[in-house]
Amino acid sequence: MNGTIFDSLREQVRGQVITPGDADYDAARAVHNGMIDKRPAAVVRVSQVADVIASVNFARDNSLDLAVRGGGHSGPGFGTADDALVIDFAGTSGVRVDPANRTARSEAGATWADFNHATHAFGLATTGGIVGSTGVAGLTLGGGIGYLARKYGLSCDNLLSADVVTADGKFVTASETENDDLLWALRGGGGNFGVVTSLEFRVHPVDMVHAGIVIYPLEHAETVAKFYRGHLAAAPEEFGAFLAFHQGPPVPFLPEQWHGKPVCIVVGMWTGDLSEGRHAGSRSSTLHRWQVPWWVRCHIPP
Ligand SMILES: Cc1cc2nc3c(=O)[nH]c(=O)nc-3n(C[C@H](O)[C@H](O)[C@H](O)COP(=O)(O)OP(=O)(O)OC[C@H]3O[C@@H](n4cnc5c(N)ncnc54)[C@H](O)[C@@H]3O)c2cc1C
């Protein structure tokens, strides 16, 4: 596609419009999953809602597919597409906390590390992803599971309202009192209902927590998984944990011969009373395992 057609978009937005041939095109089209190698027609790094409205209108008027990127962590790479216009929110990552009303409003490019950092200052948090680099928008629109989900519900359960630019370029707010059907769709329906420019969440009193990670040789996975299932079902809701299969990470407490080898990992977090929670994740076990001193006192890890 002729790059000059984007000149009119450049005139309408404050953010950068990057097309093939621009020095940072390869960086602008990259997403978290390195196996995804798409070549969009242009990437627009939006700086404000006006840029989003202009971009949506431009894509529609020029029959371009539109892809939307928040944190860029979609496994299948839905935040980019060949020959599409990509709206990239990475430059909009502000989070405004309202401690009196226990709410927080996030711009669409914020990651969970950005969000946790902002709300922790007020001793507040909501359910986010277990990895800080995932995007608030993409994760919430898909549902969103995290350490706090057992007590406070999914990320989308805590979504109070969202500002959205619809396919016809209109700006609307979706909440319980306005466009409630759109809010219902956004709460887990993914990114197909419009371009979300900000999200307002309910936040909860969560300050310091205990967190830890335990790594087991893969041959113990069946035993670990059975124990995990039973233990979690009976554990207090303040305890959240995840079981995963990984390549052994190069962390100091894991012997070097296990680095890069298949291992079974359990990560957990206690968000209740700190004096009670010390033992919630500790269970005696005869299994061989490596672990950080279980229950490190910290705030929600970025
Ligand atoms: C390392 C890693 C850890 C993960 N951990 C968790 C976890 O703990 N819990 C969990 O629930 N999921 C987790 N996921 C999955 C993750 O929630 C999804 O991949 C999610 O789509 C990522 O959101 P993003 O904004 O980073 O991705 P992006 O690739 O930027 O966006 C993915 C899709 O979301 C939609 N979208 C994003 N922003 C907007 C917007 N502003 N308006 C409209 N639509 C939008 C679009 O359809 C977009 O294509 C993880 C993924 C990875 C790679």
Side-chain angles (χ1 to χ4, degrees):
M1 175 171 279
N2 183 347
T4 57
I5 77 148
F6 292 102
D7 286 348
S8 73
L9 181 60
R10 286 190 179 95
E11 287 164 12
Q12 296 174 60
V13 298
R14 283 282 173 97
Q16 207 185 349
V17 179
I18 301 160
T19 51
D22 287 342
D24 42 2
Y25 177 72
D26 281 337
R29 71 188 180 91
V31 290
H32 180 75
N33 183 351
M35 294 169 70
I36 305 294
D37 184 23
K38 304 286 183 185
R39 300 190 67 83
V43 177
V44 51
R45 290 178 170 156
V46 292
S47 67
Q48 48 185 279
V49 174
D51 290 4
V52 177
I53 294 172
S55 302
V56 169
N57 288 336
F58 182 88
R60 193 189 56 249
D61 293 346
N62 289 279
S63 304
L64 287 169
D65 284 343
L66 192 71
V68 187
R69 190 189 308 157
H73 273 49
S74 162
F78 291 154
T80 185
D82 282 330
D83 304 320
L85 179 64
V86 173
I87 292 184
D88 181 0
F89 276 102
T92 66
S93 59
V95 179
R96 184 181 187 280
V97 184
D98 178 347
N101 288 311
R102 289 204 178 151
T103 61
R105 180 171 285 281
S106 168
E107 290 185 303
T111 63
W112 283 104
D114 297 324
F115 190 94
N116 291 338
H117 176 74
T119 58
H120 177 69
F122 300 93
L124 298 167
T126 201
T127 306
I130 59 169
V131 177
S133 55
T134 46
V136 169
L139 185 138
T140 302
L141 297 175
I145 52 168
Y147 296 112
L148 303 184
R150 294 185 70 231
K151 186 159 177 69
Y152 296 117
L154 300 176
S155 305
C156 68
D157 295 326
N158 291 288
L159 182 66
L160 295 174
S161 74
D163 288 341
V164 184
V165 177
T166 55
D168 55 3
K170 288 209 178 88
F171 176 84
V172 298
T173 295
S175 71
E176 297 283 3
T177 53
E178 264 181 285
N179 302 303
D180 57 331
D181 52 345
L182 180 56
L183 181 69
W184 180 87
L186 295 175
R187 282 177 165 162
N192 294 316
F193 300 96
V195 183
V196 176
T197 57
S198 79
L199 306 94
E200 182 193 18
F201 291 91
R202 182 183 301 112
V203 288
H204 310 275
V206 176
D207 195 355
M208 300 302 283
V209 301
H210 286 300
I213 178 168
V214 189
I215 302 177
Y216 300 88
L218 195 61
E219 71 249 33
H220 292 330
E222 184 179 346
T223 313
V224 172
K226 284 179 177 159
F227 174 80
Y228 168 86
R229 187 176 55 192
H231 180 62
L232 210 62
E237 287 187 341
E238 286 79 3
F239 181 60
F242 290 90
L243 181 142
F245 298 101
H246 268 268
Q247 310 279 316
V251 288
F253 63 91
L254 184 67
E256 210 168 305
Q257 67 266 30
W258 285 93
H259 294 183
K261 300 282 176 353
V263 292
C264 175
I265 291 185
V266 178
V267 284
M269 185 186 287
W270 170 262
T271 57
D273 185 304
L274 291 185
S275 57
E276 284 174 27
R278 260 197 108 62
H279 306 292
S282 312
R283 289 287 181 277
S284 61
S285 165
T286 53
L287 298 180
H288 187 54
R289 58 184 181 170
W290 304 277
Q291 62 186 57
V292 288
W294 189 236
W295 297 138
V296 180
R297 191 186 151 109
C298 57
H299 63 79
I300 292 184

